[in-house]
DNA sequence: CTTTCACCTTGACATTGTCTAAAATACTAA
DNA sequence: TTAGTATTTTAGACAATGTCAAGGTGAAAG
């Protein structure tokens, strides 16, 4: 992955130490973290970063399309470094959220929904991940 | 629909005025209300009902399977009088949430997800409802 | 050096949701 | 009826999520 500074520059966001700390964690994170998760981890590299700055940076990244945001978990929005279209599987035992590649599932019948103009959609699955 | 008292009795929940006010609103509501929506409306019929009782009653109804709960909107869980399996369409302009009958959509390919045991799933769509 | 400007921090605030202690209510049995 | 017990309700405390405004810091420009 490109380094945080280049990514920020490319989107016309000034690369400050606080923003770099947020970006370095959240854009390579595979765990669908909450804002508070990001805050905790960003603090390790930048101990003075504030909650407000974390929220501001996350919202900025989402606006710029560098970061996804999902409202599939109770209590807090989660952020998603994977900005390609994909589905989600939620392990109800552990709370872990897994990405399901877009082409693994096909949703048929959307054309029949005459009253609705669909901008985007995804399949949300709940269950348990099989231990291998 | 059966009356609130019978419904509560049938589930071994004592029908108190507070619970009746909650049930009468939430079980015939088609708008996917939040707990606070239910609180506001229940107060009209039972002006003394407290927030705690509304939450307790909603959680009881969900436990008993009389009410659905969905985490598809930011900020608050929503409740769903429709306990049949179905999908959801969210109008991003208005925030309104529409039920999509289960058999209108078909999700193919779940069998390929060997690592996951799926308990339930649904399709979540975002877009705009066409004005007729 | 002074002004300006973007950024950051702090803390206040609103909202959601849970929990507890005490009051109110309803059932039960003498 | 009356006393006692169990259930329910209420008010408020509390924690967590998220937004916002006020003021501080620091660099760049004049
Ligand atoms: Mn974490
Ligand atoms: Mn309402
Ligand atoms: Zn994802
Ligand atoms: Zn529904």
């Amino acid at each position: 992955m490109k380094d945080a500074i280049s990514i920020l520059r490319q989107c016309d966001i000034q690369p400050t130490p606080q923003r770099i700390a947020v970006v370095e964690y959240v854009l390579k994170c595979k765990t669908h973290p909450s804002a508070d998760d990001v805050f905790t981890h960003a603090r390790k590299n930048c101990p003075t970063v504030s909650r407000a700055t974390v929220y501001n940076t996350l919202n900025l990244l989402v606006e710029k399309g560098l970061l996804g945001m999902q409202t599939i978990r109770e209590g807090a929005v989660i952020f998603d470094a994977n900005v390609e279209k994909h589905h989600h599987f939620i392990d109800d035992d552990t709370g872990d959220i897994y990405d399901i590649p877009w082409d693994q599932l096909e949703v048929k019948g959307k054309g029949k929904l005459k009253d609705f103009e669909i901008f985007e959609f995804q399949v949300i699955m709940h269950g348990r991940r099989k231990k291998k």
Side-chain angles (χ1 to χ4, degrees), chain A:
Chain A
M1 196 178 76
K2 268 170 46 183
D3 77 19
I5 295 182
S6 328
I7 293 174
L8 287 168
R9 286 231 178 84
Q10 196 180 346
C11 293
D12 295 308
I13 305 175
Q14 280 191 38
T16 66
Q18 292 83 356
R19 287 170 174 167
I20 293 169
V22 169
V23 166
E24 285 192 334
Y25 176 67
V26 80
L27 288 196
K28 64 185 51 154
C29 181
K30 305 217 176 305
T31 64
H32 300 85
S34 67
D36 200 65
D37 290 330
V38 178
F39 178 55
T40 302
H41 286 84
R43 280 233 147 184
K44 292 187 178 142
N45 293 330
C46 183
T48 71
V49 67
S50 67
R51 280 165 43 79
T53 295
V54 170
Y55 275 99
N56 287 340
T57 305
L58 291 171
N59 292 337
L60 210 46
L61 296 174
V62 171
E63 263 176 47
K64 298 287 187 178
L66 290 172
L67 188 63
M69 186 170 68
Q70 304 278 347
T71 61
I72 56 185
R73 161 173 300 173
E74 199 174 328
V77 159
I78 59 160
F79 296 92
D80 196 337
N82 181 355
V83 292
E84 303 300 311
K85 294 207 285 189
H86 60 282
H87 306 286
H88 285 104
F89 181 94
I90 302 171
D91 187 316
D92 288 327
D93 289 353
T94 66
D96 295 338
I97 298 174
Y98 298 94
D99 284 350
I100 306 297
W102 188 249
D103 54 14
Q104 292 258 334
L105 298 176
E106 186 186 1
V107 178
K108 306 190 86 160
K110 298 188 299 298
K112 283 182 296 188
L113 306 176
K114 299 290 185 203
D115 290 347
F116 301 101
E117 186 181 355
I118 301 173
F119 298 157
E120 54 182 297
F121 67 94
Q122 68 169 301
V123 179
I124 309 274
M125 289 163 285
H126 285 258
R128 188 193 305 136
R129 185 181 194 190
K130 292 176 186 161
K131 11 189 166 286
K132 28 191 319 194

